[in-house]
Amino acid sequence: MTAFPDFRSPRWAALSALLTTGVLLTACGSGSDGSGDGSGKPTSGGTLTFAVGSDAGCVDPQQVGSNESIYSVRQIVDSLTDQDPETGKIVPWLAKSWDINSDATQFTFHLRPGVTFSDGSKLTSQVVKDNFDAVPKLGALGTLAQGYLSSVKSTTAVDPLTVKVTFKEPNAQFLQATSTHSLGIESSASVQKTPQQKCSDGVVGTGPFVLKQYVQNQSITLAKRTGYDWGSSLWTKKGEAYLDKLVFKVVPEPGVRAGSLQSGQVDAISSVGKANEAALKGGQVTLLRRANPGVVFGLGINNSRPVLKDVKVRQAILAAVDRKQIADTVFPTGTQPATSVLAHTTPDYTDLSADLAFDAAKATSLLDDAGWKAGSDGIRAKGGKKLSLVISWFPNAATNQPALELVQQQLKAVGIDVTLKQNQVSQFATTLQGGDFDLVWGNVTRADPDILRSSFSSKLANFYRLPASSLDTALSGQAATTDTAKRKQLVDEAQKLIVQNAYNVPVVELQTQLAVTKRVHGFAFDSGSRIQLHDTWIG
């Protein structure tokens, strides 16, 4: 099947029906993207200063998983394809067209001619091959990219502008994967660096901006790429970006970020907290919101822990969490309680709200049945050992601690003692890989249900130490079929198995809420609820 023979054609092909998704996009204040200053005419030049809450300690797009860092490093690299955030369709970017065989085991991409990296080297099929061949060597921080390329058999440079990726088995998710930052294309020189070097020194991409300076835990500075002329087919402006410079400042305290925006010290801020909404509404600030597709915020369970091997204990935790209270108390306006392990904006989402209903009595009964009896202090014990668990968390969002403090209270109410353990943001991947945790707070954003396989298959990284089960069959099956109805059925089955066996405890859907000043225009979300700044201008 050939898709998109004309790069600028509005007639998008139908293959991307696999990826159709609904989107929740709401803006508070006037305008939906901060645009509209009267003249409405975009102007080039200027610096956008963006205050983010944390730094992942890495400036390699292929290894970064934290939204706060993705905002900046996404601007450095382009991808083979892009995904329309409104329809979920896959559209051209560095690849002007592609062919997919009937069983989705072979993907052939036809690259745009004339594309160069910021070091002057050319984009060729060999460079794409070098990128994909190097992904397995990325280590702990490269698990998303590794998951997208799992079961790859070979990547072949057919001719200078044609690259063929062949899988050992059908891989329906791969086309959408090529639109992600995790498979953003880097220069051959960058690919040859060690993962650690790429994290600390940055990479060379074909993107509309280039990395100029990185000071860990302080700032990331990008400059406009001169001569850029191969943007995504979704972008309004052709050629170079409007802005000359982007500065991302790390400002951990949400109140300080909000104050900096109001005083004009910065132009945009991330992770707007509920406490700051009222102060920012109206005036010269616009709030932008979009629900993130993918695995919702929740508790990842280490299913190998002796206590947590018991399904009744896991199910008790699931029932003891009052999701609505947490969403309404802690998170920005409009945040929805989890109704599945997937957010409702994810393709093939299934509503499992009945299975995720708050039921303290059920939790109590399950713990009683499992032999955990309440002591004089209210905490349950069995065999002389208290029911005590540690939740590991990372300060990459202002909502994390207050949300977990509520979870802590709710679990205590049914007799589970919880300790909250804060780690550095940069330790997230190594914590999962090492397995030294009971429960870990987090989410994973991706606009494709295959994120379930990446996260929960016992055949892949298996950070949550799930046992081999029928879940693996469902997850492998949905990745292998090109039948959209069958894929939906298997994704539905996988969601039910995860929730009903409480392999994970979904809590709330992550809603990205940003704030920009009214002088910022064309500030847009991409399909993963991150941002694309090529079309952004100041005036």
Side-chain angles (χ1 to χ4, degrees), residues 424-443:
Q424 295 178 5
V425 176
S426 59
Q427 295 176 315
F428 183 79
T430 53
T431 297
L432 290 180
Q433 188 178 48
D436 187 20
F437 66 92
D438 294 332
L439 306 107
V440 63
W441 177 254
N443 79 298

Side-chain angles (χ1 to χ4, degrees), residues 448-459:
D448 189 275
D450 192 64
I451 194 62
L452 293 177
R453 185 175 63 96
S454 303
S455 300
F456 300 110
S457 171
S458 72
K459 298 179 180 179

Side-chain angles (χ1 to χ4, degrees), residues 271-337:
S271 301
V272 177
K274 193 178 186 74
N276 302 117
E277 284 180 352
L280 291 173
K281 283 182 179 177
Q284 296 303 305
V285 175
T286 299
L287 295 180
L288 301 170
R289 302 183 182 126
R290 188 179 189 275
N292 284 38
V295 176
V296 300
F297 252 126
L299 297 172
I301 294 177
N302 185 340
N303 288 265
S304 69
R305 292 289 209 233
V307 170
L308 296 169
K309 281 184 177 180
D310 189 335
V311 65
K312 291 183 177 180
V313 173
R314 300 196 306 268
Q315 290 171 336
I317 295 171
L318 194 82
V321 174
D322 187 340
R323 293 159 184 80
K324 187 175 188 306
Q325 182 190 37
I326 294 169
D328 292 348
T329 305
V330 175
F331 287 87
T333 300
T335 298
Q336 297 192 27

